[in-house]
């Protein structure tokens, strides 16, 4: 089956304007008649709920935390891109579009990426109007800094807290609508199933995480804004509550899952220190503006960094990529860090880290200037490692960070289930095989503030709705199915902890489907994951009951879904025998170790249809046409 992305015709710069004119609208007086369910209240969900509430729709917003302010969006510290060209350094919407297509290794949909670049300028204006405290120059204008994969300064930032400040802006906008009565907020709820009526998404089943009660909710459309699936790998930079459950349950109801193997490894994370950890800490990519990455030239050199002279240091990114240096894209920086560590030149006790050194920047700019830019990040590093980065280099190593794969959506953000729209990281659409730094915040806010208000109206105005209540048979079936899965989990009564299974699954994924993949390793993963899944359902121990607060039960449900989803991710990686972006197949690389695409065979989106647990999924393809940007080998030299 070939998927139709519903991309508008005409020149790329005119597609979004043409689409907005052609879309049907909903009369202001009629909007209050529609109920829209928004699952997730991070940047994408909060901005969508705020925008739709402001327009007059009746919105139900579901938050997995006690407050939307705790969404994982706050962890995107470094900045948000926008083609404002305040620096007068040659930037434009087209250049941002080009950098994003190239950064994604030519595996994203051109029309979506251009729309994202086009809307970037509106996002900054929106956020400034909300009071987001972006950094400013001496004269009062908004400041910019560089980020990986670009040669212009287009990244707007609020010290090292950009995601947090943007989330507060979206949160306060949403809470204004809560106060006005157009948005009803449901905190501490987890979506456990999607309800389909007459082939359309008409509701969700949620679990109250305090009382344990299963709650059906009906609506006219469902917006899934639940983030990515990086915690599949157990150790990642993601919040421990981040998970795939909502997207996976929607997938099992008929939503295709696209490009799950596209997982991004962030190059600047605090290295693993032991099995006691449940997550890893991200050091913002913005640090690569002033920090220099290096390792000793000699294998096994264990001297303290200050005792290694300049002549015996290898600033390998600057050496290999003179045009971009330390600001190469994340996949390139991550693979190079792995390579030098595999060569025996890694630093620290484990040998699995490289130095990020600020000595030159402190000498050139002064410690106060560095403190003004990165002070909170340096303080965080000191608290975690007990090493002062003002005096010694940071030690960093790549870690799972962002997932470019997600539920398949068309140009209107609609999944293969009519009425189910997917926003932000939960969809696959804009980043291709690799995400450029500072573009995740951009996509989440663009989808919520500026895309979904138009595309949702088109869907609602084009659809005849039969009144549906939670008494419908589909809601009873979904509730019973959800309860049955919970009962099955609690009935196992095994003797192994949930965390032990999660950790073992994460190790399988990191070893065989991590920074580098090969045929033998992927096939081994596809044997080990089903075996681990069977063991889980026979040996997992879940204390407590289903009718009250039970975080063990929450965790068990998510791990159970990961034990199914992990198999799909590995199968997707096995089928794509090319290398592209974050998906690096060892069998497909250039002589100098760079990713080698196979454009003749793999210039498409791989969208998978669920069949049954343990049986191969059905592959559907969306061909990718590159009419604006010619397919070339990525080069950052």
């Amino acid at each position: 089956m070939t998927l139709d992305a519903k991309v508008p015709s005409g020149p790329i710069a005119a597609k979004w304007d043409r689409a907005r004119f052609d879309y049907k609208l909903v009369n202001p007086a009629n909007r209050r008649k529609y109920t829209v369910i928004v699952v997730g209240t991070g940047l994408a969900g909060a901005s969508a709920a705020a925008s739709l509430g402001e327009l007059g729709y009746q919105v139900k917003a579901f938050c997995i935390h006690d407050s939307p302010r705790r969404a994982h969006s706050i962890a995107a510290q470094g900045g948000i891109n926008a083609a404002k060209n305040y620096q007068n350094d040659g930037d434009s919407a087209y250049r941002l579009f080009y950098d994003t297509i190239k950064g994604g290794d030519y595996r994203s949909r051109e029309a979506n990426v251009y729309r994202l670049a086009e809307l970037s300028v509106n996002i900054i204006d929106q956020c400034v109007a909300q009071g987001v405290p972006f950094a400013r120059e001496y004269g009062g204008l908004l400041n910019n800094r560089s980020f990986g994969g670009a040669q212009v300064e287009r990244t707007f930032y609020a010290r090292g807290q950009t995601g947090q400040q943007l989330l507060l802006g979206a949160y306060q906008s949403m809470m204004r609508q809560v106060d006005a009565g157009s948005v009803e907020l449901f905190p501490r709820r987890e979506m456990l199933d999607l309800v389909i009526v007459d082939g359309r998404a008409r509701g969700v089943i949620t679990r109250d995480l305090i009382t344990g009660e299963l709650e059906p909710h009906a609506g006219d459309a469902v917006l899934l804004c639940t983030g990515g699936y990086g915690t599949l790998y157990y150790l990642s930079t993601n919040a421990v509550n981040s998970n795939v459950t909502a997207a996976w349950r929607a997938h099992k109801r008929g939503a295709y899952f696209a490009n799950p193997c596209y997982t991004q490894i962030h190059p600047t994370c605090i290295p693993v220190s032991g099995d006691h950890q449940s997550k890893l800490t991200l050091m913002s990519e913005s640090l690569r503006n002033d920090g220099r990455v290096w390792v000793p030239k000699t294998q096994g050199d264990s001297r303290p960094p200050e005792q290694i002279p300049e002549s015996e240091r290898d600033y390998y990114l600057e050496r290999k990529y003179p045009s971009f240096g330390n600001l190469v894209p994340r996949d390139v920086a991550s693979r190079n860090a792995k390579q030098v560590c595999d060569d025996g030149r890694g630093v620290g006790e484990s040998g699995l880290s490289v130095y990020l050194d600020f000595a030159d920047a402190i000498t050139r700019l002064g410690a106060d200037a560095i403190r003004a830019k990165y002070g909170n990040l340096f303080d965080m590093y000191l608290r975690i490692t007990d090493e002062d980065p003002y005096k010694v280099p940071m030690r960093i190593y790549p870690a799972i960070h962002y997932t470019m794969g997600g539920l398949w959506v068309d140009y209107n953000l609609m999944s293969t289930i009519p009425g189910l729209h997917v926003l932000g990281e939960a969809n696959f659409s804009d980043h291709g095989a690799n995400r450029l730094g500072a573009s995740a915040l951009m996509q989440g806010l663009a989808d919520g503030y500026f895309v979904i208000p138009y595309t949702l109206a088109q869907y609602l105005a084009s659809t005849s709705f039969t009144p549906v209540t939670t008494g419908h048979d589909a809601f009873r079936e979904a509730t019973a199915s959800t309860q049955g899965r919970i009962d099955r989990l609690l009935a196992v009564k095994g003797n192994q902890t949930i965390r032990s299974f999660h950790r073992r699954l994460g190790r399988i994924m990191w070893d065989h489907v991590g920074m580098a993949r090969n045929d033998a390793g992927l096939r081994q993963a596809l044997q080990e994951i089903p075996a681990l899944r069977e063991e889980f359902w026979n040996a997992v121990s879940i204390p407590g009951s289903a009718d009250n607060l039970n975080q063990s039960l929450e965790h068990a449900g998510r791990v159970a879904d990961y034990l199914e989803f992990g198999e799909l991710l590995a199968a997707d990686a096995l089928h794509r025998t090319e290398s592209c972006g974050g998906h690096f197949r060892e069998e497909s690389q250039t002589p100098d170790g760079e990713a080698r695409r196979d454009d003749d065979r793999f210039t498409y989106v791989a969208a998978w249809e669920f069949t049954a647990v343990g049986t191969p999924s059905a592959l559907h393809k969306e061909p990718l046409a590159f009419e604006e940007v010619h397919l070339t080998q990525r080069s950052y030299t």
Side-chain angles (χ1 to χ4, degrees), residues 602-617:
F602 289 104
T603 309
Y604 60 79
V605 177
W608 299 92
E609 180 184 8
F610 180 77
T611 53
V613 176
T615 63
S617 298

Side-chain angles (χ1 to χ4, degrees), residues 199-508:
R200 299 184 180 276
R202 294 301 301 270
V204 296
I205 306 299
T206 65
R207 181 174 182 268
D208 185 320
L209 298 180
I210 303 298
T211 67
E213 181 183 0
L214 296 182
E215 302 171 335
H217 296 273
D220 299 299
V222 177
L223 276 55
L224 208 59
C225 315
T226 52
Y229 45 85
T231 53
L232 164 66
Y233 290 77
Y234 185 66
L235 286 180
S236 76
T237 68
N238 287 212
V240 293
N241 270 338
S242 300
N243 64 83
V244 79
T245 287
W248 186 247
R249 304 290 173 88
H251 172 63
K252 294 175 78 170
R253 289 289 183 180
Y256 292 0
F257 215 110
N259 299 335
C261 76
Y262 290 165
T263 54
Q264 184 174 78
I265 318 290
H266 198 292
T268 52
C269 301
I270 296 178
V272 176
S273 60
D275 289 341
H276 64 282
Q277 291 176 273
S278 59
K279 75 177 298 293
L280 298 174
T281 302
L282 170 68
M283 290 286 102
S284 168
E285 183 179 329
S286 62
L287 294 171
R288 290 199 278 151
N289 274 286
D290 290 300
R292 301 179 69 191
V293 179
W294 65 274
V295 292
K297 288 183 177 179
T298 306
Q299 292 182 349
D301 190 339
S302 59
R303 288 177 293 173
E306 66 274 10
Q307 294 182 15
I308 302 177
E310 284 287 317
S311 61
E312 298 179 32
R313 299 180 179 188
D314 181 12
Y315 295 91
Y316 57 89
L317 293 178
E318 298 173 30
R319 171 175 55 83
K320 294 179 66 174
Y321 310 100
S323 294
F324 284 76
N326 295 300
L327 288 174
V328 293
R330 292 174 176 178
D331 63 314
V332 177
S334 295
R335 281 198 301 275
N336 276 272
K338 179 181 186 295
Q339 181 179 357
V340 295
C341 291
D342 290 347
D343 290 344
R345 295 190 291 143
V347 301
E349 291 183 8
S350 67
L352 293 177
S353 58
V354 300
Y355 288 129
L356 183 61
D357 195 338
F358 292 86
D360 286 353
I362 291 172
T363 300
R364 184 178 71 254
L365 303 172
D368 288 343
I370 296 299
R371 186 173 291 107
K373 285 184 175 182
Y374 313 115
N376 62 312
L377 298 172
F378 277 42
D379 291 344
M380 185 191 309
Y381 184 88
L382 174 62
R383 287 195 300 270
I384 292 172
T385 67
D386 199 29
E387 298 174 3
D388 187 350
Y390 293 102
K391 298 178 181 178
V392 297
M394 287 184 179
R395 290 179 299 106
I396 58 169
Y397 193 69
I400 291 289
H401 176 56
Y402 189 91
T403 52
M404 286 76 66
L407 294 182
W408 184 89
V409 293
D410 62 20
Y411 187 75
N412 300 325
L413 304 184
M414 180 91 78
S415 73
T416 49
I417 299 175
L420 176 64
H421 298 76
V422 190
L423 283 63
E425 191 181 0
N427 75 34
F428 88 98
S429 65
D430 292 6
H431 305 302
N434 178 60
R435 179 175 71 81
L436 285 185
S439 62
L441 302 177
M442 180 170 59
Q443 187 208 348
L445 292 179
D447 286 354
Y449 282 139
F450 300 114
V451 178
I452 198 63
Y454 290 94
T455 61
L456 179 66
Q458 158 70 7
Y459 170 71
L460 295 176
S462 304
T463 304
S464 297
F465 289 94
T466 302
V468 169
T469 70
T470 56
H472 192 281
D473 287 347
F475 282 89
R476 286 195 288 269
E477 182 275 328
T479 302
S481 174
T482 302
Q483 186 63 57
R485 187 175 178 86
I486 291 172
D487 293 343
R488 183 185 171 200
L489 282 167
L490 290 170
V492 176
K493 305 296 184 185
N495 57 7
Q496 296 186 41
T497 66
I498 306 157
R499 192 166 303 279
S500 69
F501 283 103
H502 196 175
R503 187 182 289 114
R504 289 166 62 190
L505 175 62
R507 174 54 63 182
I508 294 170

Side-chain angles (χ1 to χ4, degrees), residues 4 16 153 283 409 565:
D4 180 10
W16 180 231
E153 292 182 284
M283 290 286 102
V409 293
F565 170 65

